[in-house]
Amino acid sequence: MPENDYHTIVYDDLGRLDASAWDRLVDADPDANPFVRHAFLHAMQSSGAASPDTGWFAQFVTLWRNNQLAAAIPFYVKTHSYGEYVFDWSWADAQERSGLPYYPKGLVAVPFTPVPGTRLIAADRPARRAAIAALLALTATLDLTSLHVLFAPAEQIDDLASAGMLVRTNLQFHWRNLGYQGFEAFLAALTQPKRKKIRAERRKVREAGIELERRVGRDIREEDWRFFVRCYENTYATHGAPPYLNLRFFHDIARLMPQNLMLVRATRDGRPVASALALLDRQRSALYGRYWGALAHVPCLHFECCYYQMIDFAIEQGLQVFEGGAQGEHKLARGLDPVTTHSAHWLREPAMRAAVRRFVVRERESVTAVIDELSEHRAFRAQAALGDR
């Protein structure tokens, strides 16, 4: 269908758009996940976490065809590069040193969420390609210096590249379920040193008197949320940074999408000391480790809450994938494997665009080399990797 057969409407408030229409597109998209659902994105905005006050100016792009929503895009005008996890600070510095502003820029992403998945939510490929044209047109209309689409799936990256955008490659670590019957079966698939290390770390947590509990959905209580946010805020404060999210955000997602939430709670002598939160997607058989915090330091408790409890839960529930978040080569020793992620970038200034084109080629080669090297140090026994159990 020609691009001019679509009608574009831009919303600065997602609450003005019917949630069921947005989510129908999400439900039909095989690359979607809970982070692009109306409830999650709206909670980011209505809680003030991703708002003009924090440098996130929402411009949700929608395309309509015959009065039906055909495409929906979480688009933001940004005045900084915080909360993105695909780092372009060096690009901004280089452009500003040349005497040209780098901000404001256009961003298609889920705020503060480095989870790969659909970014151009569309009914079909023609609608998606029309949406890309609309994005580029809006970038020009708003006089933005650049457009960035982060953590998009392969087919969308291909369409963005066909539209003239530069493709950047990055690295994450994901765990795959090879049909384990329990956590011990997972450990049995690892090399002896890695298996020994994980058992030692879990033993330290037990010997520290820590008890762990997992709560799902509406079993997560108000006191759990308040304690979790205390932990989350304390961990940010320990690192000298303000937290991105707030209690209202977590209350909103607890109310609107409880079926997607799993919380780990750690206690000692009956008193809570740490907590971690994951998002659950049963439709796509995935668990996404997201947020963590603690009020007291306990050796190896972070690994227990954020990796081992998550993997154990994924095995128990028959989930196929656990994504452990951005960066972190330490995850390799804990049974997560390196995978590539991709983003697409358009820059208005010709000299900057040429420099970034050279940069992304070198970066892609570097990431490929790193993955090759890391793959030689996987936690799994060779025969286990081939499925011989």
Side-chain angles (χ1 to χ4, degrees), residues 267-315:
T267 60
R268 180 166 55 188
D269 298 327
R271 298 175 63 87
V273 295
S275 191
L277 181 67
L279 263 72
L280 169 64
D281 187 349
R282 294 190 186 278
Q283 181 179 346
R284 294 168 180 84
S285 196
L287 184 69
Y288 307 91
R290 295 308 315 129
Y291 316 106
W292 142 267
L295 300 185
H297 173 69
V298 177
C300 302
L301 184 55
H302 172 263
F303 299 141
E304 178 65 38
C305 290
C306 296
Y307 304 132
Y308 306 142
Q309 286 294 316
M310 302 293 177
I311 291 172
D312 195 17
F313 178 80
I315 294 171

Side-chain angles (χ1 to χ4, degrees), residues 100-168:
L100 297 170
Y102 189 74
Y103 304 102
K105 67 177 187 179
L107 180 76
V108 176
V110 178
F112 322 117
T113 307
V115 174
T118 193
R119 294 296 177 265
L120 312 171
I121 315 164
D124 48 40
R125 200 165 193 179
R128 184 164 69 233
R129 288 173 172 168
I132 293 171
L135 276 176
L136 292 168
L138 183 61
T139 300
T141 299
L142 297 176
D143 196 27
L144 304 179
T145 63
S146 55
L147 171 65
H148 310 264
V149 182
L150 309 185
F151 298 105
E155 189 176 81
Q156 295 182 20
I157 289 291
D158 289 344
D159 285 343
L160 291 161
S162 296
M165 298 185 69
L166 303 175
V167 176
R168 191 173 182 185

Side-chain angles (χ1 to χ4, degrees), residues 131 138 149 206 241 321 349 388:
L138 183 61
V149 182
R206 291 195 303 272
V321 180
E349 296 300 326
D388 178 8

Side-chain angles (χ1 to χ4, degrees), residues 1-12:
M1 178 174 287
E3 291 169 6
N4 57 9
D5 285 344
Y6 297 89
H7 176 55
T8 302
I9 302 177
V10 177
Y11 294 85
D12 60 5

